[in-house]
Amino acid sequence: MTISFDDLRLLFQRQSLFFMRKFFVATVLFLTSMVAAAQASPKPPLFTPLSAESKAELDDFRRLVTGLVRIQNPKWILSRTPKDFEILQIFAEGSSMKKADRNTWIAVGVAFGDALIAFIPGLSWSDMQDEYGPGVVLRYKQTTMTIAAPTMLAKRVERGESFDLRFMAIELKKYVTENAGKVQ
């Protein structure tokens, strides 16, 4: 059997086409994985000053927790200072909080956040948009370091964990102090 020049050319073209297809498929898979990796990388959070809506929502939570605290003990007054850690701790451990809903725990988290602002210089409330959606957080200066105070306690309660607010505040302050220079 003899192979003509045309047969060789045709065979070469088929093999070239086969390798080109493999190369094309490999390139497409590579580019697809690169796009997926780029999309998987979280975008940096976007911070904005508190909106009027966020301010109103925080105020509603403050009124809720202030009212509940006063019902438990009329002598207790939340002052947005570190003195609130003890009041909030006793309140959180009280019988009225045994069946509290998520919003009530968020209200306690807001009061905890207000006290943290006085305890950790450089913290302030901020609106934030990240890969998980919008939210209100405590932001350290103009960095990306944040503390999700409103939901911090609610999540712990949902997981059945106990907490010590003074200890948490001290550890948060230590963390902020040690890591402030490492974030942008």
Side-chain angles (χ1 to χ4, degrees), residues 20-97:
M20 285 180 66
R21 285 183 185 147
K22 282 185 114 176
F23 178 75
F24 177 75
V25 169
T27 303
V28 167
L29 290 173
F30 174 75
L31 291 175
T32 302
S33 68
M34 293 299 286
V35 168
Q39 290 174 341
S41 301
K43 296 177 185 173
L46 173 67
F47 295 98
T48 55
L50 283 178
S51 66
E53 182 181 339
S54 293
K55 288 178 184 177
E57 188 174 31
L58 287 173
D59 287 340
D60 288 345
F61 283 124
R62 287 180 184 114
R63 279 191 291 280
L64 172 62
V65 73
T66 298
L68 292 172
V69 164
R70 294 293 298 258
I71 289 170
Q72 187 164 334
N73 186 333
K75 294 179 183 178
W76 288 346
I77 298 173
L78 295 177
S79 58
R80 297 187 188 183
T81 67
K83 293 178 184 178
D84 292 351
F85 298 143
E86 183 180 352
I87 293 170
L88 291 170
Q89 184 70 46
I90 295 167
F91 174 71
E93 293 171 348
S95 61
S96 64
M97 291 299 287

Side-chain angles (χ1 to χ4, degrees), residues 107-118:
V108 176
V110 169
F112 179 59
D114 287 338
L116 283 174
I117 289 172

Side-chain angles (χ1 to χ4, degrees), residues 113-130:
D114 287 338
L116 283 174
I117 289 172
F119 188 64
I120 305 173
L123 288 183
S124 61
W125 289 108
S126 179
D127 280 327
M128 182 182 82
Q129 173 74 41
D130 65 6

